[in-house]
Amino acid sequence: MTVGEDPSEDEVRAELDAYLARGAGKGSGRTAADFTLTRLPLLRASVTRHIERRTEATRHEPGSVDLADRPVYDVLRDYELGPRDKPLDKPVELVRRGTVNVRSCGCANGRQQCADCKGMTYRTCEPSQPCPVCAGVSPCSQYLKHGGIPSSPPRPPKARRAHPEERVTCAACHTPDSACPGCQGWGRVRCAKCQARGRIPCGPCKATGTVTCGTCRGQGRTTSWTAGRIAWVSETEEVSHPDTWPRRVTAELRSAGWRKDRLDAGDPLPDDLSADHRSVLAPHLRQHEGEQDRTVVIERITVVRATPRGSGDREYYLYRGFSGNLEVQARISDEGRRKAVAAVLAAVVLLVVVLLLVK
């Protein structure tokens, strides 16, 4: 017995009889002869194509690039891949003949002027900054004695920690207890970064005036060439039969014993594939532009629906399980559903009547 093989009518009726006899189907004396069998052949498939893409672009790389291991071509569309070349995971990288060019970068042997300091090795800095204690607003209460707010000294004093309410002798007008203790009356203090020198070392170039050239990355030369690339891109198309799966056993069918066929390019369709399934697959098997290879996966299963002749509350679905044995799924029939709905409605009506009588 082959997993997924269509069950014969005798096999279906025997399995259904055994199920009903066990009482699991609540058959109440019914046998398989009391049911009409309808076959539902289901199909799901996928077509994975390997589409070739050929692209060409000019490449620029720093330094001298070793391209000796790359195949050379003249016209990209005319280049023929080897029999073992299938660039699925890794594209085939090519070099157009006569396009490799190694040239000097134009920088100073891999170095170029620092853009931050313009080659000066330092950056300018404000020698002084407002006093953190008085903020330069009231450095001296007697500032009129030295011509108004004192100008910055040649070398401002270092900032000192102090309370704003404290006062010291002003270094400009020499008035006792009149000046801010943080700046001694000047209003500004020495810059902590440059220590009033007016310049700080340039950080990006580490005070050298030059940085590594971004074009050649310090190599002093660049390599350019016309690069061809051949890649195969996988495109998967899902195919299913237009008839929907029986919704009452859809979840169970996902793990059923589907018969699976895997076909490579050039392989014919299975001989036992029905004409209906062939017509569904045919439009999806046409050659696409650039297609180099393909893999077709076909999965099939036949579900047999057993419906009671005459009246009956239950129906049954039989199909191959993953082990190859037939499985039976019992479900409420359409008639059973109608009876259940009618019973619920009758109960609701009865309840309403009882409530009205009680009131």
Side-chain angles (χ1 to χ4, degrees):
M1 181 188 301
T2 304
V3 174
E5 186 179 73
D6 285 353
S8 66
E9 183 170 341
D10 291 341
E11 187 180 1
V12 170
R13 292 194 179 277
E15 186 64 32
L16 183 56
D17 275 334
Y19 184 85
L20 294 172
R22 292 194 297 268
K26 300 180 181 179
S28 186
R30 286 181 178 270
T31 66
D34 299 321
F35 292 83
T36 299
L37 304 183
T38 304
R39 290 181 174 269
L40 307 172
L42 305 182
L43 169 73
R44 64 184 184 188
S46 65
V47 182
T48 301
R49 294 180 173 85
H50 301 150
I51 306 298
E52 185 175 274
R53 299 281 188 264
R54 298 195 175 203
T55 57
E56 194 175 54
T58 301
R59 295 279 302 276
H60 302 276
E61 294 291 340
S64 299
V65 181
D66 185 8
L67 302 172
D69 61 335
R70 300 192 182 186
V72 178
Y73 71 95
D74 294 304
V75 180
L76 185 59
R77 66 173 178 271
D78 297 336
Y79 182 83
E80 295 184 3
L81 293 172
R84 296 184 179 181
D85 291 335
K86 289 189 176 183
L88 282 171
D89 300 323
K90 184 179 180 181
V92 175
E93 301 288 351
L94 310 169
V95 177
R96 186 173 178 180
R97 193 187 310 276
T99 62
V100 180
N101 185 13
V102 182
R103 67 181 68 180
S104 173
C105 177
C107 61
N109 195 28
R111 306 289 294 180
Q112 61 183 141
Q113 187 182 85
C114 175
D116 282 69
C117 68
K118 304 296 188 295
M120 299 298 292
T121 72
Y122 62 87
R123 292 158 58 188
T124 59
C125 180
E126 184 65 35
S128 62
Q129 59 187 8
C131 173
V133 179
C134 67
V137 177
S138 58
C140 177
S141 61
Q142 302 297 322
Y143 67 93
L144 293 176
K145 292 184 178 180
H146 46 81
I149 298 176
S151 59
S152 299
R155 189 173 179 81
K158 290 184 179 181
R160 299 179 182 182
R161 293 183 180 180
H163 296 287
E165 58 273 10
E166 296 179 9
R167 307 305 275 179
V168 297
T169 299
C170 178
C173 67
H174 307 291
T175 302
D177 301 323
S178 63
C180 168
C183 60
Q184 300 177 33
W186 291 111
R188 302 183 71 82
V189 295
R190 190 178 303 176
C191 173
K193 293 182 179 180
C194 68
Q195 295 300 316
R197 289 190 292 269
R199 62 176 64 179
I200 56 175
C202 180
C205 67
K206 298 180 181 179
T208 63
T210 61
V211 294
T212 301
C213 176
T215 302
C216 68
R217 297 179 188 172
Q219 301 294 315
R221 64 183 66 85
T222 59
T223 303
S224 63
W225 72 96
T226 300
R229 170 177 285 196
I230 303 176
W232 286 5
V233 180
S234 296
E235 297 180 355
T236 300
E237 182 181 3
E238 300 294 339
V239 183
S240 61
H241 195 277
D243 293 342
T244 57
W245 293 11
R247 58 185 179 81
R248 295 174 183 174
V249 290
T250 296
E252 290 78 6
L253 287 177
R254 298 189 187 281
S255 58
W258 292 74
R259 183 175 180 178
K260 188 173 184 178
D261 296 285
R262 184 183 180 90
L263 311 177
D264 294 325
D267 292 343
L269 293 174
D271 294 335
D272 60 346
L273 190 66
S274 68
D276 186 28
H277 287 176
R278 286 177 182 272
S279 64
V280 171
L281 282 170
H284 303 277
L285 299 179
R286 296 169 183 161
Q287 190 84 3
H288 285 200
E289 183 180 356
E291 182 178 330
Q292 301 297 318
D293 198 5
R294 70 165 59 172
T295 300
V296 181
V297 177
I298 303 173
E299 295 180 281
R300 295 169 283 162
I301 194 171
T302 297
V303 179
V304 181
R305 179 185 180 187
T307 54
R309 292 191 177 101
S311 62
D313 296 341
R314 300 181 73 80
E315 63 185 13
Y316 303 92
Y317 294 86
L318 296 90
Y319 54 86
R320 292 271 183 224
F322 190 76
S323 63
N325 299 322
L326 277 181
E327 295 186 6
V328 183
Q329 300 290 341
R331 297 291 185 268
I332 298 176
S333 65
D334 292 338
E335 181 181 351
R337 288 176 179 271
R338 287 194 295 270
K339 289 181 179 179
V341 172
V344 171
L345 291 176
V348 171
V349 171
L350 180 60
L351 178 60
V352 171
V353 171
V354 171
L355 292 176
L356 291 176
L357 293 175
V358 171
K359 291 182 178 180

